[in-house]
Amino acid sequence: MARQIGEIILDLKNISLRFGGVKALTDISFNVREHEIRAIIGPNGAGKSSMLNVINGVYHPQEGEIIFRGEHRKDMDTHEAAAAGFARTFQNIALFKGMSVLDNLMTGRNLKMKSNFLQHALWWGPARREELEHRRKVEEVIDFLEIEHIRKTPVGRLPYGLQKRVELGRALAAEPSILLLDEPMAGMNVEEKQDMCRFILDVNDQFGTTIVLIEHDMGVVMDISDRVVVLDYGKKIGDGEPDEVKNNPEVIAAYLGTQH
Amino acid sequence: MQFFFEVLIGGLLSGVMYSLVALGFVLIFKASGVFNFAQGAMVYFAALSLVGVMGMGAPLWLAFILAFVIMTLLGIATEKFVLRKMVNQAPIALFMATIGLAFFIEGLAPLIWGNEVRALDIGLVDEPIGWILDQHNMVISSFDLTAAGLALGLVALLALFFQYTRVGRALRAVADDHQAALSIGIPLQHIWALVWAVAGFVALVAGMLWGSRNGVQFALTFTALKALPVLILGGFTSVPGAIVGGLIIGASEKLAEIYIPPVMAGWFGGNFGGIEGWFPYVMALLFLLVRPEGLFGEKHIDRV
Amino acid sequence: MIYRETGQFKTSYAADQQIFPIRQDRIGIGLLLAVAFLVVPLTAGNYWFNAILIPFLIFALAALGLNILTGYAGQLSLGSAAFMAVGAYAAYNFQVRVDGMPVLLSFILAGLTAAGVGILFGLPSLRIKGFYLAVATLAAQFFIVWCLTKFPYLSNNSSSGVISVPNVEILGFTFDTPQSRYLLVLTIVSVLALLAKNMVRSTTGRAWMAVRDMDVAAEVIGIRLMRTKLLAFAVSSFYCGIAGALYAFCYLGSVEPDGFSLDLSFKILFMIIVGGVGSVLGSFLGAAFILLLPIFLDISLPALAELLHLPFDSATVSHIQLMVFGALIMFFLIVEPHGLARLWQIGKEKLRLWPFPH
């Protein structure tokens, strides 16, 4: 790997999450280092998406600590998370189907826009300048993801693979320090997966973005991640470099299935 | 104190009638997920058909059956020509389509049957019940009481139908999950036709009762609009909710109409009648803020 | 041939972001405005002003307001007529109770009052959505009209809430002819339409559309739901309020609370459904369509009935009108949910290819 993996910037300690009587996550602890690619894997229903939702502020854990860049942020809400530098994609594409690709990406920069609605209505100086400046940045993302040809197309009309790419674009447009990806390659064919892998690696390489991703494709996970966390039934059963985790008997048992 | 009870009971009874209209909404919503804004117009259409056929010389029982057939046909036509074509669209679009449907029916009904106000005589008389008047000095309409009884009977019948018969079970399955129901062989088209027929029947009973009480006229559609707050209180998917919601709305609106205007007249001077027009809606609004899914409804969860 | 983008390359983002990026469109809108401002006042007759053009502009403004709330921000509202009423009555009160109040200022204050009321009744949208919200807006509709009828103070102590507004006077010039009223309304509506177009293209508009399309995702990327929704209610009610003030001052001259009934709210909703939800152009197209339809039916139905030798009376016309409205709504929702605006777009695309087939 070309970049230097840095210090721990995200530390999760003893996270437990319950929905009524159902325990989604039990006593999970792991950390994420700056500039690394951290994968979260595990069988279906293990609680991976819930974990991502906790990091992002969508769910608030009943127990545990979240420490981001030295600050305790357990009850952070989604808005604060976004302001702090988190961006994410979703398992079931959460794009704004009524808007074009360009507009979707521009919404990613919403937090950075300072002008108010009156300035927008008058299309006056600061609002205009801001819009153009952000448009420039978004075009960089469009270039990077090679989606120039569809920038004005309404997102709802795009094929699945391109929609997933646009969703990645929206997350990138926010210039995040941590990118949370929930199954970014789900439902893709081999070529699309390769493209997506390339983009993810490039993001990590060129911009130094820390990436936490959930993925089912073991080949991908082993290839691109620096470290892996394995979840099963809401508990952590493995944590370390891909090769270590691959040979961990508990992990193998979880995937192949043994008697519990 | 007696006056209070009189108003209360009168309100409860008219509330049962609101429930009848709300019931039609619930049935269609449960089976097809469509919020049928046109239910009120259907009540009006049913009542008009009933008086219309009776006006042509038929006795009540025959007119009822014919009107029922007409309502079923209307329901099936709606499903076939409007709803089926909108299968892929958002629920809000379907809702707006039913608003269009309401207007359509509101124009069609008087076109066919004429728009004069008509009396509907079904054999029940609107007069105070003798012994209650004598013993407790309260005016309680025998009509209201009989109508309420009829309505409750209908609801009980429907509840039993849904719970214990094979067809009822199929209806509940369709309401839960169309795809799953299809995959186990439930004939969706037949079920929907059946649901609209039952909703049409309920609309007919509601139209008959409301129409004989207040006369069959266009204002019937506004009464039916009141069913919306009933649904909000009771929950859109619950039959008992429609009853409880109806009772609460009926009672509270009558009590508000009697007791609030004098207070306001005291503060501001002037006449403050007509509270019934908005009170149920404001109540529903406040209720929504506290318990959006209604007393008996199902919570709606958004998964990301 | 004529309608081509060939050779019109955009070399800056600013150029790409114009409201009318294609030159032919710019010429078109220029011509339209020229005709509207210069030709029409000199050539149209009073009937046209009073019965068609002025109400068209006013309803288009109200439809624009509703479109912002329902079409762009996705908050269904059945109470737009009530907000028009607030605007009308507020403007009246400001104008009549404050000596020497400039009319335009009354209008703006009326709009702000309507915006305030709009925010109040928009608060439930933070907890409820979809048709639940529609029922909540019904509460606004019924309650507001009741208040205007029952509180004599609001109508300057007239019976049953009827108000007669004074003539509009700006800087000594009295707007008492149809032409002058038309030009005043045209100016106000054009300016507000431009502001609306700018808003919906900007971050504000994108935030609204994000909330409409998937509010959970919008929240996650940092859009503040409360502010966005309440802003939509505020701006929408402002527009409806101004439309209401114009309705009273420049169109009817005398209004009553019942004139702003649920029926009118439905009409405005129909305008945006037919015209196109989420489109500024659609608000205008829909308003024109819904306004002209009854006139068209009034003329054509008797003629048709005579042709077919069918019995006929005025009640029949109103019944058929209801049916036609209803049928049109269902038709548009089934066939072209994006309304006339989308049909217009498709037309333009075909025009780009003309005379070639593809």
Side-chain angles (χ1 to χ4, degrees):
Chain A
M1 308 292 169
R3 359 105 251 148
Q4 292 286 12
I5 296 187
E7 295 306 309
I8 296 176
I9 55 166
L10 178 66
D11 206 349
L12 300 155
K13 293 192 160 101
N14 308 107
I15 301 282
S16 285
L17 179 70
R18 271 189 310 278
F19 296 114
V22 179
K23 278 199 140 190
L25 300 170
T26 311
D27 200 33
I28 303 218
S29 305
F30 67 93
N31 56 46
V32 180
R33 289 175 180 277
E34 199 162 13
H35 307 308
E36 79 171 329
I37 298 184
R38 193 80 149 103
I40 302 180
I41 65 175
N44 278 324
K48 310 187 292 290
S49 286
S50 301
M51 192 70 242
L52 227 56
N53 281 335
V54 164
I55 295 177
N56 186 219
V58 178
Y59 296 151
H60 295 142
Q62 279 80 15
E63 282 140 38
E65 284 289 310
I66 304 178
I67 303 170
F68 179 60
R69 294 196 195 275
E71 279 184 49
H72 289 254
R73 288 175 174 272
K74 180 175 144 191
D75 287 313
M76 175 174 60
D77 69 22
T78 51
H79 186 263
E80 289 165 5
F86 287 90
R88 67 171 288 181
T89 65
F90 297 87
Q91 209 170 348
N92 305 314
I93 302 178
L95 284 173
F96 305 121
K97 298 276 162 79
M99 294 198 260
S100 67
V101 169
L102 184 60
D103 279 334
N104 265 278
L105 262 55
M106 290 290 275
T107 61
R109 292 195 74 79
N110 189 280
L111 272 177
K112 305 192 192 288
M113 308 268 196
K114 298 291 172 235
S115 46
N116 62 38
F117 78 100
L118 279 173
Q119 289 169 309
H120 293 147
L122 296 169
W123 202 237
W124 173 56
R128 223 174 157 228
R129 277 196 294 276
E130 205 177 52
E131 178 88 8
L132 290 174
E133 178 201 314
H134 290 296
R135 171 71 188 268
R136 213 160 278 139
K137 281 272 178 220
V138 161
E139 288 287 341
E140 282 171 25
V141 175
I142 291 179
D143 266 341
F144 177 77
L145 291 174
E146 295 164 17
I147 45 178
E148 300 93 332
H149 56 296
I150 49 168
R151 62 157 82 74
K152 295 280 172 80
T153 317
V155 152
R157 288 204 220 147
L158 293 173
Y160 182 81
L162 278 177
Q163 283 188 23
K164 278 229 165 248
R165 211 191 288 185
V166 172
E167 214 196 355
L168 178 62
R170 187 180 63 186
L172 290 177
E175 290 177 85
S177 40
I178 297 196
L179 191 56
L180 307 172
L181 303 174
D182 197 341
E183 301 199 33
M185 296 173 228
M188 288 189 175
N189 61 34
V190 174
E191 282 142 30
E192 287 169 333
K193 274 195 197 183
Q194 285 178 345
D195 281 337
M196 194 56 111
C197 266
R198 181 166 49 93
F199 289 131
I200 295 178
L201 285 172
D202 279 346
V203 168
N204 182 254
D205 221 6
Q206 284 184 265
F207 306 122
T209 317
T210 312
I211 300 184
V212 180
L213 88 145
I214 297 175
E215 189 44 58
H216 274 299
D217 186 329
M218 278 310 124
V220 165
V221 170
M222 296 303 155
D223 257 345
I224 72 174
S225 26
D226 296 312
R227 285 196 296 160
V228 180
V229 176
V230 191
L231 299 181
D232 188 26
Y233 283 104
K235 300 199 182 66
K236 187 173 89 165
I237 60 172
D239 185 355
E241 304 210 349
D243 285 325
E244 280 175 54
V245 163
K246 200 164 59 171
N247 296 317
N248 181 329
E250 266 193 69
V251 173
I252 298 174
Y255 272 97
L256 292 177
T258 49
Q259 286 195 302
H260 285 267
Chain B
M1 203 55 197
Q2 280 154 325
F3 183 58
F4 171 78
F5 276 113
E6 199 179 289
V7 177
L8 177 66
I9 295 180
L12 287 172
L13 293 177
S14 74
V16 173
M17 304 251 272
Y18 284 139
S19 307
L20 259 186
V21 185
L23 204 54
F25 275 108
V26 170
L27 289 172
I28 296 182
F29 190 76
K30 268 172 97 82
S32 59
V34 175
F35 186 81
N36 180 25
F37 193 83
Q39 192 66 20
M42 288 180 168
V43 169
Y44 178 51
F45 191 84
L48 265 183
S49 306
L50 190 62
V51 272
V53 175
M54 280 173 80
M56 301 199 291
L60 178 62
W61 62 269
L62 182 62
F64 191 87
I65 294 177
L66 286 174
F68 175 55
V69 169
I70 295 176
M71 290 310 293
T72 308
L73 288 173
L74 179 68
I76 296 180
T78 303
E79 197 275 317
K80 191 169 156 114
F81 293 113
V82 181
L83 298 177
R84 213 182 288 179
K85 312 255 173 175
M86 294 196 59
V87 162
N88 279 327
Q89 297 204 35
I92 213 72
L94 278 167
F95 174 60
M96 293 200 284
T98 59
I99 298 182
L101 181 64
F103 269 68
F104 186 79
I105 296 179
E106 280 164 22
L108 182 66
L111 194 70
I112 299 180
W113 302 110
N115 68 341
E116 328 82 59
V117 178
R118 252 170 292 208
L120 173 57
D121 180 8
I122 58 175
L124 299 175
V125 201
D126 190 4
E127 46 180 40
I129 300 179
W131 60 272
I132 297 185
L133 186 59
D134 294 332
Q135 288 197 352
H136 300 276
N137 207 18
M138 288 199 291
V139 175
I140 296 189
S141 157
S142 67
F143 177 93
D144 279 350
L145 202 56
T146 320
L150 258 170
L152 285 171
L154 180 61
V155 170
L157 210 69
L158 281 172
L160 287 171
F161 173 71
F162 277 120
Q163 213 45 41
Y164 294 111
T165 65
R166 218 184 81 206
V167 179
R169 231 194 333 272
L171 277 168
R172 282 186 292 138
V174 168
D176 220 27
D177 189 338
H178 293 175
Q179 300 276 44
L182 257 178
S183 69
I184 60 173
I186 295 183
L188 234 44
Q189 318 286 37
H190 296 178
I191 292 291
W192 278 329
L194 185 61
V195 168
W196 283 92
V198 176
F201 181 80
V202 170
L204 183 56
V205 173
M208 183 177 79
L209 290 175
W210 277 110
S212 68
R213 189 180 198 255
N214 298 340
V216 178
Q217 50 178 311
F218 190 70
L220 220 50
T221 54
F222 287 108
T223 313
L225 213 56
K226 286 262 178 74
L228 292 178
V230 171
L231 287 166
I232 289 183
L233 251 66
F236 279 76
T237 49
S238 158
V239 170
I243 307 295
V244 174
L247 289 174
I248 297 179
I249 292 285
S252 63
E253 103 176 333
K254 286 284 182 300
L255 288 170
E257 180 71 33
I258 298 289
Y259 289 106
I260 294 186
V263 174
M264 299 202 73
W267 289 345
F268 297 102
N271 165 28
F272 285 92
I275 294 204
E276 287 184 305
W278 55 265
F279 192 79
Y281 293 96
V282 173
M283 248 193 82
L285 176 58
L286 295 170
F287 203 80
L288 274 175
L289 297 175
V290 170
R291 203 185 149 84
E293 62 277 6
L295 288 167
F296 295 87
E298 294 149 11
K299 258 198 158 85
H300 177 69
I301 302 181
D302 269 323
R303 280 205 109 215
V304 183
Chain C
M1 278 304 201
I2 319 170
Y3 195 66
R4 279 266 190 237
E5 288 170 52
T6 328
Q8 297 184 43
F9 296 112
K10 301 289 174 280
T11 51
S12 72
Y13 296 131
D16 194 41
Q17 277 176 347
Q18 295 167 332
I19 296 180
F20 297 105
I22 302 176
R23 195 190 313 125
Q24 286 90 338
D25 277 340
R26 286 200 289 276
I27 297 177
I29 196 80
L31 276 176
L32 183 66
L33 286 174
V35 168
F37 274 96
L38 300 172
V39 177
V40 169
L42 299 173
T43 56
N46 282 350
Y47 172 75
W48 271 87
F49 287 124
N50 289 327
I52 301 192
L53 292 171
I54 293 180
F56 159 65
L57 288 169
I58 292 176
F59 284 129
L61 187 63
L64 190 52
L66 182 61
N67 223 338
I68 288 175
L69 183 60
T70 298
Y72 284 96
Q75 311 297 307
L76 182 58
S77 165
L78 293 177
S80 29
F83 295 119
M84 281 179 76
V86 174
Y89 278 77
Y92 173 74
N93 274 288
F94 281 118
Q95 191 61 27
V96 156
R97 289 176 192 279
V98 180
D99 266 329
M101 176 73 114
V103 165
L104 288 180
L105 185 58
S106 290
F107 284 174
I108 294 180
L109 288 172
L112 290 174
T113 313
V117 175
I119 292 181
L120 193 63
F121 280 98
L123 286 170
S125 73
L126 303 175
R127 286 212 74 186
I128 55 183
K129 310 190 213 184
F131 29 76
Y132 294 94
L133 189 61
V135 178
T137 56
L138 274 183
Q141 171 68 48
F142 290 134
F143 182 70
I144 290 176
V145 171
W146 180 85
C147 278
L148 290 172
T149 318
K150 298 294 180 185
F151 284 93
Y153 177 78
L154 295 172
S155 46
N156 214 11
N157 293 310
S158 95
S159 66
S160 73
V162 177
I163 56 171
S164 286
V165 300
N167 260 324
V168 175
E169 222 188 272
I170 300 182
L171 300 175
F173 179 78
T174 308
F175 288 82
D176 52 5
T177 66
Q179 277 101 329
S180 55
R181 283 201 299 262
Y182 161 74
L183 281 172
L184 178 65
V185 173
L186 179 64
T187 312
I188 294 179
V189 173
S190 304
V191 169
L192 287 176
L194 180 63
L195 294 182
K197 185 71 179 170
N198 282 336
M199 268 193 284
V200 299
R201 287 188 312 144
S202 69
T203 306
T204 306
R206 283 191 294 262
W208 285 336
M209 291 193 272
V211 167
R212 174 196 69 192
D213 287 341
M214 199 181 282
D215 54 357
V216 190
E219 220 179 357
V220 170
I221 65 176
I223 293 175
R224 289 206 186 260
L225 286 190
M226 180 171 87
R227 264 181 232 181
T228 308
K229 286 187 187 182
L230 290 182
L231 182 64
F233 270 98
V235 173
S236 165
S237 309
F238 182 84
Y239 273 64
C240 286
I242 302 254
L246 290 174
Y247 191 67
F249 279 76
C250 298
Y251 176 45
L252 290 182
S254 159
V255 291
E256 52 168 359
D258 278 332
F260 295 100
S261 66
L262 184 62
D263 225 39
L264 183 58
S265 285
F266 275 131
K267 241 192 181 159
I268 301 176
L269 180 65
F270 289 174
M271 287 178 201
I272 68 170
I273 293 178
V274 168
V277 271
S279 153
V280 170
L281 175 66
S283 313
F284 284 88
L285 294 175
F289 194 90
I290 297 288
L291 192 67
L292 293 175
L293 187 65
I295 299 178
F296 173 74
L297 286 176
D298 265 336
I299 301 175
S300 60
L301 281 179
L304 195 66
E306 269 213 49
L307 207 63
L308 297 174
H309 301 290
L310 286 175
F312 203 73
D313 62 14
S314 63
T316 315
V317 181
S318 63
H319 296 148
I320 296 191
Q321 197 177 301
L322 281 178
M323 284 176 69
V324 171
F325 271 137
L328 270 173
I329 294 300
M330 292 191 279
F331 174 77
F332 268 97
L333 284 169
I334 293 174
V335 169
E336 184 47 82
H338 296 283
L340 293 172
R342 178 98 187 95
L343 290 177
W344 172 257
Q345 245 186 341
I346 295 176
K348 285 210 299 187
E349 277 171 27
K350 293 253 190 294
L351 196 57
R352 282 161 76 178
L353 296 171
W354 184 81
F356 305 107
H358 55 257

